Amino acid sequence: MKMVQPEKISAKDFDYNLPEENIAKYPIERREKSKLLLYQKGQISRDIFENIPGYIPEDELMVFNNAQVVYSRLLFQKSTGANIEIFCLEPDQPKDYEQAFQQTSSVTWRCMVGNLKKWKNDVLTKHISLPNGSLNLKAWKKARKDNVIEIAFEWDNSSITFGEILDHAGIVPIPPYLKRESEPIDKQRYQTVYSKIKGSVAAPTAGLHFSEPVMQKIREKKINTAEITLHVGAGTFRPVKSETVDQHEMHTEHFSVSLQTLEQLINSKGNILAVGTTSVRTLESLYWIGVKLKTMDSVPSRIVLNQWDHLELDSSVSVEGALKEIQDYLTKNRKETIDASTQIMITPGYEFKLTKSMITNFHQPRSTLLMLIAAFVGDDWKDIYNYALENDFRFLSYGDSSFLRP
């Protein structure tokens, strides 16, 4: 399929009517009992998610995003009674997620703020009691760029880390389209059973259907699995409001992939099943970063893949060649993982390099995620979504699942 130039792709072509009653506001009782739409070589059928292992060949490599959702919403109350919500998006000082969570006195994050008009230049204070002590958390604004505000946090108990503060005082950042406040059930269910690495402000929702029994079936079938980490950002929920996709600024997300996983990807011989669009985004970005490394004389501390880099870079480089370029870079620099940022926007006509099949939920109209699906299955996305709507599938984060193998 020939790549279509972004300025020729109309956003309205990815609109569809999503009735409110089709949006899953809450998870079903058991993860693995969600519906599963099967799209295989143009044919559509259905099953239950717990049977997914039966559709996966033994030589397939399943790639999971092990990112863990952070309870990243903090509520403060001013002396006037006004409530201010600070939504922590990503760390700024220090920029490394693990280091940011381990800070014991102060940290700076890039945030979104609810009820910002009520917060002038005063310092917000919140008293927090934890099992291992109490503290006073202070917050003040440092700088602003568009809707993102740099906020400094400081607290008076050095035995408590910022990660512990969020774990105990933070609120689960459930998606805005659920149109409800987070509840106790979300702490467990808006998290995959295999989550490990803190940093996401949204769940990699394709993974929410996997339960321990399903993972056990995958192990018993001896299907190979690999893990990557992509910290899902709030920008994933932003619809494309421009007329054409070239006018949309794609959000940036940070990811890391180990040398071991790179080896697994090279040995997979192209039989890769990506669990979720976040895994797809990481896998495809890896290829282009490998290609980009071939052209660099000096490599910055963090490699960045820009929104349309893939239109300019040499697409004739083999997958193995691109991944080995990353391996060589890591070995030369004595690194165990590639840490990078991606802004890649995958739209119809894109030629997928590593992704052969994927498991994914049903996405919002006019979303960049739906455009990625359309790039993967072509115009059949309309038949897939019509089938799902006509058969009462549940949509979005807590909704049902699909298995796509073009």
Side-chain angles (χ1 to χ4, degrees):
M1 192 188 295
K2 190 176 178 182
M3 185 68 203
V4 183
Q5 291 302 308
E7 64 270 17
K8 294 183 178 178
I9 301 175
S10 173
K12 73 176 190 305
D13 290 342
F14 305 92
D15 220 338
Y16 69 92
N17 181 42
L18 177 57
E20 191 71 24
E21 59 266 26
N22 283 89
I23 298 174
K25 299 293 174 69
Y26 291 90
I28 61 170
E29 188 176 344
R30 287 175 58 186
R31 296 172 185 264
E32 71 274 20
K33 294 297 183 182
S34 57
K35 293 177 185 175
L36 174 65
L37 182 146
L38 299 158
Y39 171 81
Q40 300 176 97
K41 298 181 179 178
Q43 300 300 309
I44 301 172
S45 57
R46 61 184 286 183
D47 202 339
I48 301 297
F49 191 83
E50 65 183 344
N51 296 327
I52 189 76
Y55 297 98
I56 304 169
E58 289 178 19
D59 63 348
E60 202 101 303
L61 174 66
M62 294 184 75
V63 179
F64 294 87
N65 180 7
N66 64 14
Q68 189 174 108
V69 179
V70 180
Y71 305 149
S72 51
R73 293 167 54 208
L74 288 166
L75 293 181
F76 289 81
Q77 188 172 56
K78 296 183 62 174
S79 56
T80 59
N83 290 314
I84 309 294
E85 180 185 297
I86 298 178
F87 185 2
C88 298
L89 299 176
E90 61 181 23
D92 188 67
Q93 289 295 329
K95 290 187 182 295
D96 179 82
Y97 281 86
E98 191 173 345
Q99 289 180 26
F101 292 128
Q102 292 303 318
Q103 295 303 299
T104 55
S105 60
S106 64
V107 69
T108 303
W109 278 66
R110 298 176 73 246
C111 305
M112 291 170 66
V113 178
N115 210 11
L116 181 60
K117 290 180 181 177
K118 297 281 187 176
W119 185 16
K120 305 305 178 186
N121 293 317
D122 49 322
V123 176
L124 300 179
T125 303
K126 180 183 183 72
H127 182 75
I128 301 171
S129 294
L130 291 83
N132 57 332
S134 62
L135 58 90
N136 292 300
L137 177 66
K138 293 181 178 180
W140 65 92
K141 293 178 286 186
K142 289 183 69 178
R144 178 174 181 172
K145 184 182 178 183
D146 300 324
N147 291 326
V148 177
I149 300 171
E150 207 174 282
I151 292 179
F153 296 98
E154 192 176 276
W155 58 102
D156 56 4
N157 188 334
S158 60
S159 68
I160 295 171
T161 66
F162 191 68
E164 290 174 304
I165 291 172
L166 292 179
D167 283 346
H168 290 277
I171 297 169
V172 183
I174 59 171
Y177 48 63
L178 295 187
K179 296 178 182 176
R180 66 173 176 84
E181 288 300 312
S182 63
E183 298 178 23
I185 190 174
D186 299 308
K187 278 207 168 189
Q188 184 215 352
R189 295 302 298 277
Y190 196 59
Q191 200 81 267
T192 64
V193 296
Y194 49 80
S195 66
K196 290 177 185 172
I197 311 297
K198 287 183 180 180
S200 283
V201 299
T205 55
L208 296 181
H209 307 278
F210 288 85
S211 61
E212 283 301 339
V214 172
M215 297 300 287
Q216 182 59 31
K217 282 184 186 177
I218 290 168
R219 288 189 287 268
E220 287 171 359
K221 196 173 175 182
K222 294 185 168 57
I223 296 167
N224 289 320
T225 62
E227 294 184 354
I228 54 91
T229 304
L230 179 134
H231 294 305
V232 190
T236 192
F237 301 121
R238 190 158 58 93
V240 179
K241 294 183 178 178
S242 57
E243 285 188 21
T244 53
V245 302
D246 63 303
Q247 298 169 330
H248 178 80
E249 184 180 355
M250 191 68 176
H251 59 287
T252 299
E253 290 173 323
H254 308 291
F255 71 86
S256 60
V257 178
S258 69
L259 264 172
Q260 180 188 348
T261 295
L262 282 169
E263 190 70 37
Q264 287 179 280
L265 294 173
I266 291 170
N267 294 335
S268 70
K269 306 300 182 189
N271 295 320
I272 296 173
L273 165 57
V275 179
T277 54
T278 60
S279 296
V280 173
R281 198 171 189 223
T282 304
L283 291 169
E284 298 304 313
S285 296
L286 268 182
Y287 170 81
W288 294 109
I289 281 174
V291 174
K292 199 169 185 176
L293 281 171
K294 289 176 75 74
T295 67
M296 287 181 168
D297 294 324
S298 62
V299 181
S301 57
R302 180 175 283 275
I303 304 166
V304 177
L305 185 69
N306 297 308
Q307 183 163 344
W308 304 115
D309 277 355
H310 59 284
L311 299 182
E312 309 295 332
L313 292 165
D314 181 6
S315 62
S316 68
V317 178
S318 69
V319 170
E320 185 175 353
L323 296 182
K324 284 194 170 176
E325 194 73 33
I326 299 174
Q327 275 186 320
D328 292 344
Y329 159 76
L330 294 177
T331 304
K332 181 181 174 182
N333 291 275
R334 296 180 181 178
K335 292 174 177 276
E336 287 297 316
T337 61
I338 175 94
D339 295 301
S341 299
T342 182
Q343 197 189 8
I344 192 172
M345 187 170 182
I346 296 175
T347 53
Y350 176 85
E351 180 187 343
F352 286 82
K353 298 295 185 178
L354 278 89
T355 312
K356 181 179 180 180
S357 51
M358 78 169 85
I359 293 169
T360 186
N361 285 18
F362 298 93
H363 306 289
Q364 294 182 86
R366 288 182 77 115
S367 65
T368 57
L369 300 181
L370 181 56
M371 292 176 188
L372 184 153
I373 300 304
F376 196 63
V377 300
D379 279 344
D380 281 1
W381 78 264
K382 296 171 186 174
D383 295 332
I384 291 167
Y385 275 58
N386 283 336
Y387 181 97
L389 287 166
E390 288 167 5
N391 287 274
D392 296 321
F393 276 66
R394 302 159 79 246
F395 276 54
L396 309 185
S397 295
Y398 275 140
D400 293 314
S401 184
S402 66
F403 174 66
L404 309 178
R405 190 189 291 275

